[in-house]
Every structure is written in structure tokens, then in C-alpha cells.
Amino acid sequence: MTDNMGLAPERSDREALLRYQTASLQRVSRTFALTIPCLPAGLQEAVGNGYLLCRIADTIEDDPLLDGEEKAHWQKVFLQVLRREVPAAEFAAGFGARMATEMPAGEHDLIAHSAEVVALTHSFNAIQQAALIRCVEIMGEGMAEYQRRASRAGLIDQADMDRYCYVVAGVVGEMLTTLFLEHEPRMRDGGAPLEALAVSFGQGLQMTNILKDLWTDWERGVLWLPRDRLQAHGLEPEALQPGMRDPRFQGFLQEMLALAAQHLRDALTFTLQIPAEQTGMRDFCLWALAMAVLTLRRIAENPGFRSGAEVKISRDSVRTMILLSRLLHRFDPLLDLAFRVATKPLPRAPLC
């Protein structure tokens, strides 16, 4: 197997790299291990690799023992690896030695095998490589900035929250759009602003995660909600408490649910730009969208929740969602109807 600063791997080596990628996805993300195999050959490999690259960047940011300056350093080194400026083995050994032992075993393994992940990155075509590297660059720099600012004081305002969602999720939507279009250029035929819809898609998913993990983040001293919107409801961030049923907070939560649902409507619009016969690509998007909608519904049903476990969707719900997706994925009017029915219990944003 060649070093990641050298030539592309041989065919047999590449097959070994793909086997590792599949196994690693199973270890670090059950969700993406479920959805990525839906994608057609060629696209599946690049998207899977993009996810692992983002996971490496996430692992740097999630390490509880590193300060902001050291996290920013390792983000920079990892980007240099992708640009072939630093050997991947140097990053793996250096960051691996600094990783907290309590980090998940799958992430320790991923860092130890980062040379293999990056070698696969460098086997893709120029368009794919550029999309993957751009995503990691924006994500790594953006996460380092927000981690330095992370506190229970929250984000400054809604625009600040929007930007946070962009650097951790919206930019992934842009990466996926580039990869999708490279595989299926007919997506442009619908005339929709795909990049903007993809960013909104990412924000809908990220806002769902922020709301679901609200009190878990709170316990570790972090709040990713906009301070200005809390204050508009008569609340200060320090007044928040897990399980609170204060009507002011409930009003704020309704606003956030409505905004997340609006972004998920854009996610459906994006998905419907994929030609109907590309059912795997549609399922990849539909499953992520459906799981987010179901999670928002769980939060709406239990607004006094105290942990993410209380609003986690059931395995039966996931199985039902997969079955419905496979039945409906070719039929745009039925998908639109299913979305409207599924989001009916959620609050609506006021009309401007």
C-alpha cells in the first residue's frame, strides 16, 4: 500500500482500503453505516470517505483533554495531510498519542488508520477530492472557532447559530451536492438552487441534533442556542435547566422546532431534484430527513425532556420509515403528502 503522499493505491490495495472504510463506518456511526450503502457504486465510496474525514475532524474537536489551541493545531495538521504536505502517519502517531483514553474505541481505531482513510481520498478523481478537502477545511476551521467560544452563554444570535450549523453540517451538504452532481448531473434539470437547499438541509439536521442533545451539552457546559431568541422570550441562558416547563422556554422551543421543520422542507425539495430512478440516492436523503422529522416530533410531544434518550426514536419507527421510503421513493406527490402528514404535529413558523 503506498504512502498517502505518493501514488494512488493499486487495485488490490484500494479494495483493502474500502473494506476498512466499511468496517470503520460500522464502528463510528450506525446511522451512516445504514444509509451510505444505499448509494450507487462510485458515489457510495466517496460519500463514505467524506464521512470518515469529517469524523476525524469531529474526533479532534470532541477530545475532552485538548484545549482550543491544540485542537486548532491538529485540525491544521490534518488538513495538511489531505493536501499531501504532511505524512498521514505523522498525524496518526502525533494526535493518537494525545487522544484521551476515554474517547470511543472506534475513534481511536479511525485515527490509528487515518493513513488508510486518506490514501482512499487521494484515489478519487479531482472533483471528488476537491469537494472532500474543501469540506474538511471549512469544518475544521469553523469548529475550532466555535469550540473556543463554547459556553453556557449560548451563541450570539440566530445568524450566529446559522453559521455554526453551516460549518458543522451545511458545508457537508455542499460537499454532497458536488458529489451527487458529479455522479448524476440531471439533478440540475429541475432548476432548483441545489447548493442553498443542501445548506438548509444540513441546518435542519443539525438543529434537530442541537435540540435533541440540548441538556447533554448543557451538562458539559455548552449551549448552542441563540441568546437573542431566548432573550426575546424573556429568558437568559443561565436560567435554563433540564426538564424545565417554563412557558417562556416552551415558546422558544416551539420557535426552534418550527424553524428546523422549515429547513427540513428544503431538504425534501433537494431530495426531489434527484431523478426518481436514482432510488438509492433518494433513500440516502429520505432516511436522514425522516429520522430528523421523527425526532422533532418526539421533542414536540415531550417538551419537558431531560435527556436525548427521552426523545430518541424507536427501532420500530426506523424500520417503518425505511419501508415507507422504499414504497414511496419514486413518487414525488406521495412523498410530499407523507412529509406534510408527518410534520403536521410540529409548530409552524409565523408567516412574514
Side-chain angles (χ1 to χ4, degrees), residues 20 38 176 265 273 280 310 337-338 349:
Y20 174 76
C38 295
L176 288 172
R265 162 55 71 177
Q273 301 307 298
E310 295 179 23
L337 176 61

Side-chain angles (χ1 to χ4, degrees), residues 1 11-25 44-46 49 52 116 120 123-124:
M1 194 175 298
R11 180 181 178 86
S12 60
D13 288 343
R14 192 170 192 273
E15 290 172 352
L17 297 176
L18 287 168
R19 285 195 298 273
Y20 174 76
Q21 176 168 288
T22 299
S24 185
L25 284 167
Q44 179 182 140
E45 294 82 355
N49 189 254
L52 290 185
E116 285 89 335
L120 189 56
S123 75
F124 298 129

Side-chain angles (χ1 to χ4, degrees), residues 302-324:
N302 186 15
F305 73 101
R306 304 179 67 89
S307 72
E310 295 179 23
V311 292
K312 184 178 180 181
I313 60 177
S314 69
R315 291 184 179 181
D316 284 345
S317 294
V318 173
R319 283 192 286 266
T320 300
M321 172 272 297
I322 290 173
L323 175 62
L324 284 174

Side-chain angles (χ1 to χ4, degrees), residues 131-144:
L132 297 175
I133 294 171
R134 175 184 179 272
C135 180
V136 172
E137 178 179 14
I138 293 173
M139 177 181 285
E141 291 177 354
M143 287 195 303

